[in-house]
Amino acid sequence: MTTANPAIPMPPRRPPRRPARGFSIVTAIFLLVVLSALGVALLSISTMQHAESALDVQGARAYQAARAGMEWGLYQQRVNNSCAASSNFALPATGALAGFSVTVRCTQSAGVVPRYQVTATACNQPGVGGVCATANATNNPDYVQRVVQAEF
């Protein structure tokens, strides 16, 4: 058995170490920031997809409006024997194609057998006089235009 040497002083006793405090609040703030950023990113993606979906529907409606205009132009030429150089009309406000205007152009090429070309341009924001033309394409993100052409 050994005895403590009274000549050598003992070091003072330190209190037991406590775990670091405040680390959990840093972790919680970090997680909140990361989750908030993730939420903002998901919201942004969702908003863009919703806008793209709406434009896709508008594009399909514009195509159907252009098709209706082309069929009208074909009817005018084949049944009424009238090939007007240009006609503009708005589609009825009560149907699914409300808000669209159509410009129908008919051209005839000379020759032994006459050939006709009917071009229908439909848009949701026509220019002056209700004319749909490529020059009308503004920087408006809601602008939609479709062109359908038939030759016979």
Side-chain angles (χ1 to χ4, degrees):
M1 210 157 138
T2 61
T3 59
N5 187 352
I8 300 177
M10 296 276 297
R13 284 189 74 118
R14 289 189 213 165
R17 289 190 67 125
R18 294 184 357 201
R21 298 186 115 190
F23 183 73
S24 60
I25 191 85
V26 172
T27 303
I29 290 173
F30 176 75
L31 285 175
L32 280 175
V33 168
V34 168
L35 290 176
S36 297
L38 184 62
V40 167
L42 289 175
L43 183 65
S44 173
I45 289 171
S46 175
T47 302
M48 286 188 330
Q49 285 182 342
H50 180 70
E52 288 176 7
S53 175
L55 276 177
D56 190 36
V57 169
Q58 285 290 84
R61 290 176 68 214
Y63 172 74
Q64 293 302 325
R67 244 185 103 168
M70 181 194 61
E71 289 175 7
W72 179 84
L74 289 172
Y75 179 83
Q76 294 299 316
Q77 200 290 316
R78 302 301 288 167
V79 174
N80 297 337
N81 202 20
S82 167
C83 185
S86 182
S87 299
N88 304 315
F89 58 90
L91 294 169
T94 57
L97 301 177
F100 283 91
S101 292
V102 181
T103 301
V104 180
R105 290 185 176 82
C106 182
T107 56
Q108 178 182 2
S109 60
V112 177
V113 178
R115 295 182 58 90
Y116 296 94
Q117 182 178 33
V118 177
T119 304
T121 305
C123 66
N124 62 346
Q125 297 171 4
V128 178
V131 177
C132 289
T134 306
N136 293 348
T138 61
N139 287 335
N140 190 337
D142 295 332
Y143 182 77
V144 177
Q145 175 180 320
R146 296 292 184 268
V147 178
V148 178
Q149 186 175 21
E151 189 171 320
F152 55 99

